[in-house]
Amino acid sequence: MRADIQVGAQFPDYELTDHTGKRRKLSELQGDAPMILVLSRGHYCPKDHQQLHKLVDFYPELNVAYTNLVTISTDNLLQTNEFRDQLGAQWPFLSDAGRKVQKDLDIAEYTDPHNDPMIPHTLVLEPGLKIFRIYNGYWYWGRPSVEDLRHDLRELFQKIRPDWDISDSELRAAWERGERERFYPYKKSRPERIAS
C-alpha cells in the first residue's frame, strides 16, 4: 500500500463504474456517513466470498446505523454483476477492470499473475473519506470480522457524532433551545429531516 495511505489521511476519491453501469465517485457513495470500503480480489476468490457473505448478513445493521458499504474489485462489469447477485448483496459494487485503484495504491498481488488482482484490503472511513482503520486481507485472518467492524464503528461514531451520549445535559439544553446542528440527522445538511 502506498505510504501516504494511512490512518488519518484522506482516501482517494476514485470514480469507477458501478454494477448498473453508472460512473460513481466514492465521495458520492459515502455522502456524510461513515463507510466501509472493501477492496476485493473478485468473483473467483473463496476468501472474498466468505468475507462478503458475512457482510451481506451485517448489511441490515449498517443500513439502519447510517453506515455505507462499497466493494471495489478488478472484475469486469459482467463479473461484478454476477458476483453481487450471487452474494445477494444490496450495496454498490464498483468495477476496476482497468486496475486504476490497484496501480494507484500500489497493491498489485504479484503472487497471482494469472488473475492480476489487488491485495484485498478493508478500510473503515470517516466522513470525507478520512481513513479510520485499514485491514490487509491477503491472509484471511487479516480481514476484519463483523465484530471488529462493530467495535471500529462504535469508536468512530463516538468520535464524530456530538450527540453520541444523548443523556448529556448540555445536549438536552441545546435541543430545547432549538440548536439542532449537533444532532444527527437534524443538522443543516439534511433539511428534509428537520423536525418541527
Side-chain angles (χ1 to χ4, degrees):
M1 180 78 75
R2 223 170 65 193
D4 63 318
I5 303 298
Q6 55 187 303
V7 171
Q10 184 175 16
F11 193 77
D13 192 10
Y14 296 112
E15 183 176 8
L16 298 165
T17 303
D18 74 6
H19 58 277
T20 69
K22 181 179 178 184
R23 297 289 290 176
R24 307 289 293 275
K25 292 183 90 168
L26 288 178
S27 58
E28 169 199 348
L29 293 168
Q30 182 179 35
D32 63 355
M35 182 166 75
I36 297 169
L37 177 62
V38 179
L39 304 178
S40 166
R41 284 184 178 115
H43 73 284
Y44 72 92
C45 178
K47 296 172 188 75
D48 285 9
H49 278 263
Q50 185 64 31
Q51 178 186 18
L52 293 170
H53 272 298
K54 300 284 186 192
L55 291 174
V56 166
D57 293 339
F58 189 41
Y59 183 73
E61 290 183 61
L62 296 173
N63 198 34
V64 300
Y66 304 106
T67 305
N68 294 321
L69 176 59
V70 173
T71 298
I72 300 174
S73 79
T74 52
D75 288 337
N76 64 38
L77 190 56
L78 178 62
Q79 293 164 333
T80 297
N81 271 301
E82 289 177 349
F83 189 24
R84 183 176 180 271
D85 288 346
Q86 181 184 35
L87 291 164
Q90 298 176 39
W91 63 88
F93 274 50
L94 303 178
S95 171
D96 186 24
R99 283 140 176 89
K100 174 183 177 178
V101 174
Q102 178 214 58
K103 291 172 186 170
D104 187 54
L105 295 179
D106 192 22
I107 55 172
E109 190 173 319
Y110 59 86
T111 57
D112 184 0
H114 175 70
N115 292 298
D116 189 24
M118 56 185 146
I119 299 168
H121 286 78
T122 303
L123 296 97
V124 179
L125 302 173
E126 298 180 32
L129 300 175
K130 186 176 178 184
I131 301 169
F132 184 77
R133 192 85 72 234
I134 303 172
Y135 294 91
N136 180 329
Y138 178 73
W139 288 98
Y140 184 77
W141 295 122
R143 298 171 191 225
S145 69
V146 166
E147 286 309 308
D148 292 328
L149 293 172
R150 190 183 313 276
H151 289 290
D152 291 343
L153 292 168
R154 181 180 299 126
E155 184 181 339
L156 173 54
F157 270 76
Q158 287 173 326
K159 175 183 174 185
I160 67 168
R161 297 294 184 225
D163 58 348
W164 176 260
D165 181 3
I166 197 72
S167 66
D168 179 87
S169 61
E170 175 51 35
L171 279 175
R172 179 180 288 276
W175 180 266
E176 290 171 357
R177 290 190 302 269
E179 299 168 6
R180 303 294 193 251
E181 59 276 353
R182 289 189 281 175
F183 296 88
Y184 189 89
Y186 300 99
K187 59 185 174 179
K188 295 175 188 171
S189 65
R190 294 233 166 146
E192 72 278 5
R193 292 191 177 181
I194 295 177
S196 42

